[in-house]
């Protein structure tokens, strides 16, 4: 699959580099990202290359980011655009609603940027006359997810991203903790590492497989070792993710599993 091409227009060099790195890492290479410091240079790049998304700061040397977005939409309305600014006003927000698909005010969380990019480039996600904003990224729903992962950093990042997306998330670092949580509640999705210290997530899966079937729980097994894929599929696992896992991959998978759950079965 060809990477999603993104152009970031930001004159603050360190911020441009940070944004680009966050998008590359967060998408696990699914985004191809370039940067430039001015609207004039962006216009030249847009003549030479094809981009799916342009993220532009509002305050730029020379022409501002809003003028750039207006120019982009006049010539290439299929290109998605996000305006970022540290000088947000009601007038600028209203203008962004009429021209762009996204609008972020600084300082913003890099996770906000990842979530907004994911939403903006998703087919049918935008509303005419309304640019997505920070408050639109946080949704509330009744879906509950359990993550069993003994790596604290990975567990924390996944949990935070899923909570930001509106899911209720419980976390476990041991088989014993996960067993207690599974006994106490039903989950829509169970995300489980295969190797938990000296124990195996596969053993817990076998133990609770009947409960998962009754509750309609989707099971996602994770491992750095791809040879487990066939074994997990034979056990009826919904999905196997090979580490390293990007946030974009995880969030897209969770959304798709839960969307499929809404479809009535004949």
């Amino acid at each position: 699959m060809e990477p999603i091409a993104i152009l970031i227009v930001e004159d603050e060099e360190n911020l441009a580099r940070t944004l680009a790195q966050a998008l590359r890492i967060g998408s696990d290479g699914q985004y191809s990202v370039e940067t430039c410091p001015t609207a004039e240079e962006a216009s030249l790049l847009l003549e030479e290359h094809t981009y799916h998304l342009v993220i532009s700061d509002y305050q730029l040397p020379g022409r501002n980011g809003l003028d750039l977005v207006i120019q982009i939409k006049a010539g290439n309305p299929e290109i998605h655009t996000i305006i970022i600014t540290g000088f947000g006003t009601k007038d600028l927000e209203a203008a962004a609603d009429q021209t762009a698909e996204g609008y972020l005010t600084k300082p913003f969380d890099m996770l906000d940027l990842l979530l907004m990019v994911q939403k903006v480039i998703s087919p049918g996600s935008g509303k005419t006359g309304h640019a997505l904003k920070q408050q639109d990224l946080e949704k509330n729903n009744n879906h509950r997810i359990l993550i069993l992962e003994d790596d604290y950093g990975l567990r924390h990042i996944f949990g935070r991203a899923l909570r930001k997306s509106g899911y209720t998330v419980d976390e476990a670092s041991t088989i014993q903790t996960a067993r207690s949580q599974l006994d106490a509640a039903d989950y829509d999705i169970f995300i489980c590492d295969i190797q938990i210290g000296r124990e195996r997530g596969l053993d817990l899966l076998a133990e609770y497989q009947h409960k998962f079937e009754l509750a309609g729980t989707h099971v996602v097994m994770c491992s750095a070792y791809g040879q487990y894929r066939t074994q997990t599929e034979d056990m009826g696992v919904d999905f196997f993710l090979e580490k390293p896992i990007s946030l974009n991959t995880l969030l897209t998978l969770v959304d798709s599993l839960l969307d499929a759950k809404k479809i009535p079965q004949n």
Side-chain angles (χ1 to χ4, degrees):
M1 181 174 160
E2 193 172 324
I4 302 293
I6 299 175
L7 177 62
I8 297 174
V9 190
E10 170 60 68
D11 62 318
E12 190 177 329
E13 186 177 351
N14 288 338
L15 178 57
R17 187 184 303 112
T18 299
L19 296 178
Q21 185 178 30
L23 290 174
R24 292 188 190 107
I25 294 174
S27 69
D28 195 22
Q30 293 177 35
Y31 298 154
S32 171
V33 188
E34 295 181 57
T35 67
C36 70
T38 66
E40 287 74 17
E41 188 171 335
S43 296
L44 294 175
L45 288 171
L46 285 160
E47 291 177 3
E48 299 171 358
H49 305 284
T50 300
Y51 296 98
H52 299 89
L53 169 66
V54 175
I55 302 170
S56 179
D57 190 17
Y58 172 70
Q59 199 73 34
L60 296 169
R63 293 168 54 214
N64 64 47
L66 179 59
D67 287 342
L68 174 63
V69 168
I70 292 172
Q71 174 201 330
I72 291 170
K73 290 300 185 182
N76 301 282
E78 72 279 2
I79 297 177
H80 300 296
T81 57
I82 297 173
I83 295 174
I84 58 177
T85 181
F87 306 94
T89 65
K90 289 185 177 181
D91 287 343
L92 179 57
E93 185 173 328
D97 279 335
Q98 299 304 314
T99 55
E101 283 79 26
Y103 176 79
L104 279 173
T105 55
K106 302 176 186 176
F108 52 81
D109 193 312
M110 289 303 163
L111 184 55
D112 283 337
L113 178 66
L114 283 168
L115 290 172
M116 179 166 286
V117 168
Q118 183 187 36
K119 287 181 177 294
V120 162
I121 64 177
S122 298
S125 62
K127 296 180 181 178
T128 303
H130 176 79
L132 285 171
K133 304 172 184 70
Q134 275 104 328
Q135 60 267 30
D136 298 317
L137 301 177
E138 299 187 12
K139 53 187 180 183
N140 295 310
N141 56 54
N142 297 320
H143 295 303
R144 195 166 186 177
I145 299 172
L146 174 61
I147 302 173
L148 172 55
E149 169 62 62
D150 58 351
D151 183 318
Y152 170 78
L154 193 58
R155 188 175 71 250
H156 176 73
I157 291 170
F158 285 174
R160 185 165 171 265
L162 289 167
R163 289 187 188 96
K164 190 82 175 179
S165 294
Y167 300 113
T168 298
V169 182
D170 293 331
E171 299 176 21
S173 60
T174 67
I175 295 285
Q176 183 178 356
T177 302
R179 185 178 286 116
S180 298
Q181 291 167 310
L182 289 168
D183 286 340
D186 290 334
Y187 290 91
D188 294 285
I189 295 182
F190 178 44
I191 301 171
C192 180
D193 191 13
I194 286 180
Q195 199 67 39
I196 309 293
R198 296 183 178 180
E199 299 182 280
R200 299 198 326 152
L202 287 175
D203 295 332
L204 188 69
L205 170 61
E207 182 181 344
Y208 283 86
Q209 194 161 19
H210 183 61
K211 176 181 172 68
F212 291 152
E213 290 173 358
L214 291 176
T217 302
H218 289 295
V219 179
V220 179
M221 300 301 292
C222 310
S223 176
Y225 304 100
Q227 63 264 31
Y228 284 112
R229 183 183 300 274
T230 301
Q231 184 179 357
T232 58
E233 289 174 351
D234 289 343
M235 294 180 70
V237 167
D238 293 276
F239 216 90
F240 174 84
L241 288 176
E242 186 171 347
K243 297 179 178 179
I245 304 164
S246 73
L247 287 177
N248 188 61
T249 297
L250 178 69
L251 294 171
T252 300
L253 174 60
V254 167
D255 285 346
S256 64
L257 288 175
L258 292 174
D259 283 344
K261 199 170 184 178
K262 298 173 187 174
I263 301 173
Q265 301 297 315
N266 295 323

